[in-house]
């Protein structure tokens, strides 16, 4: 069964450092998403990406965040200068269509900012 | 007030019991999703609904668009059903953004 993969599974970084979280969406999917979940809190939408551009982003997704699809398979989330409050589980997801479509989630990357 | 409210927050059941988790939302939606999050953190999509009812094995999801309410039922519950169940909605006005509920922590005891 096709699946979304994410690397690394756990990333530890120092405050102020840049991190790149990587995702490989399902190959025939067209819509890509990043969500985050701070420990003990609900999942929050960060950004959606379609046709090589951001289609929607939340208030959380400020100038410190960027997304890219550098090749035909990877989808990355970059945080330029990490803050303590960026510590969270980051989930990538992909779907064939928008929110009316069944989405597949990756296993998540746990980011710890020290 | 949250746009997506789930109840109960926590639910403990004995193996074999019938379980219901409720979700109410306050916005116009294009679809409602039920997700399952395991203790390790991974999220699995269970159902996507825009009307009516869907069934998959022992899981049943229903939605009432007029009342802005959905329920997830688990029949003959089993300890392996223990997880957090999350309701999320895709808004009519937003093509791609999901808004999530807080989740319901289900524990099924043998």
């Amino acid at each position: 069964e096709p699946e979304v993969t994410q690397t690394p599974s756990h990333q530890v970084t120092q405050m102020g450092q840049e991190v790149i979280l990587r995702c490989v969406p399902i190959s025939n999917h067209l819509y890509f998403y990043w969500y985050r979940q701070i420990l003990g809190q609900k999942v929050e939408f960060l950004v959606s990406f379609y046709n090589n551009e951001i289609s929607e982003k939340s208030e959380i997704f400020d100038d410190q965040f960027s997304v890219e699809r550098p090749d035909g398979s990877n989808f990355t989330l970059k945080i330029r200068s990490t803050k303590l409050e960026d510590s969270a589980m980051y989930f990538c997801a992909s779907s064939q269509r928008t929110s009316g479509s069944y989405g597949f989630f990756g296993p998540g990357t746990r980011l710890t900012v020290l | 007030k949250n746009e997506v409210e789930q109840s109960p927050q926590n639910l403990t059941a004995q193996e074999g019991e019938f379980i219901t988790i409720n979700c109410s939302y306050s916005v116009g939606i294009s679809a409602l999703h039920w997700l399952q999050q395991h203790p390790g953190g991974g999220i699995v999509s269970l159902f996507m609904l825009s009307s009516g009812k869907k069934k998959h094995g022992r899981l049943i999801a229903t939605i009432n668009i007029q009342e802005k309410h959905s329920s997830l039922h688990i029949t003959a519950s089993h300890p392996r059903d223990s997880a957090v169940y999350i309701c999320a909605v895709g808004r009519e006005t937003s093509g791609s953004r999901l808004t999530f509920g807080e989740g319901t922590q289900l524990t099924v005891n043998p």
Side-chain angles (χ1 to χ4, degrees), chain A residues 24-68:
Chain A
V24 179
I26 292 171
S27 61
N28 64 344
H29 284 185
L30 301 176
Y31 293 83
F32 314 113
Y33 313 86
W34 283 101
Y35 300 93
R36 81 169 185 191
Q37 185 177 33
I38 295 170
L39 188 64
Q41 297 186 22
K42 64 181 178 181
V43 180
E44 300 171 290
F45 168 82
L46 288 178
V47 66
S48 59
F49 192 86
Y50 169 71
N51 201 26
N52 281 321
E53 60 182 28
I54 291 173
S55 48
E56 197 163 0
K57 60 182 181 179
S58 72
E59 306 72 32
I60 302 165
F61 194 89
D62 61 21
D63 292 344
Q64 291 299 313
F65 291 89
S66 62
V67 290
E68 196 176 36

Side-chain angles (χ1 to χ4, degrees), chain A residues 6-24:
Chain A
Q6 289 186 243
T7 54
S9 56
H10 191 190
Q11 172 101 40
V12 181
T13 190
Q14 294 290 326
M15 190 169 56
Q17 294 295 304
E18 174 184 285
V19 295
I20 298 176
L21 310 183
R22 291 184 167 81
C23 168
V24 179

Side-chain angles (χ1 to χ4, degrees), chain A residues 53-101:
Chain A
E53 60 182 28
I54 291 173
S55 48
E56 197 163 0
K57 60 182 181 179
S58 72
E59 306 72 32
I60 302 165
F61 194 89
D62 61 21
D63 292 344
Q64 291 299 313
F65 291 89
S66 62
V67 290
E68 196 176 36
R69 190 155 158 82
D71 53 42
S73 58
N74 289 285
F75 179 51
T76 62
L77 174 69
K78 182 193 291 187
I79 309 174
R80 287 193 185 81
S81 178
T82 49
K83 307 183 186 71
L84 295 176
E85 54 265 36
D86 294 326
S87 295
M89 183 77 100
Y90 288 82
F91 293 100
C92 172
S94 69
S95 66
Q96 288 186 317
R97 301 193 308 275
T98 63
S99 64
S101 173

Side-chain angles (χ1 to χ4, degrees), chain B residues 73-91:
Chain B
H73 305 286
I74 304 176
T75 62
S77 59
H78 190 276
R80 65 174 174 265
D81 297 326
S82 298
V84 176
Y85 291 84
I86 302 170
C87 172
V89 301
R91 294 189 238 176

Side-chain angles (χ1 to χ4, degrees), chain A residues 97-113:
Chain A
R97 301 193 308 275
T98 63
S99 64
S101 173
Y102 202 82
F104 290 80
F105 285 78
T109 292
R110 182 167 298 284
L111 176 65
T112 302
V113 182

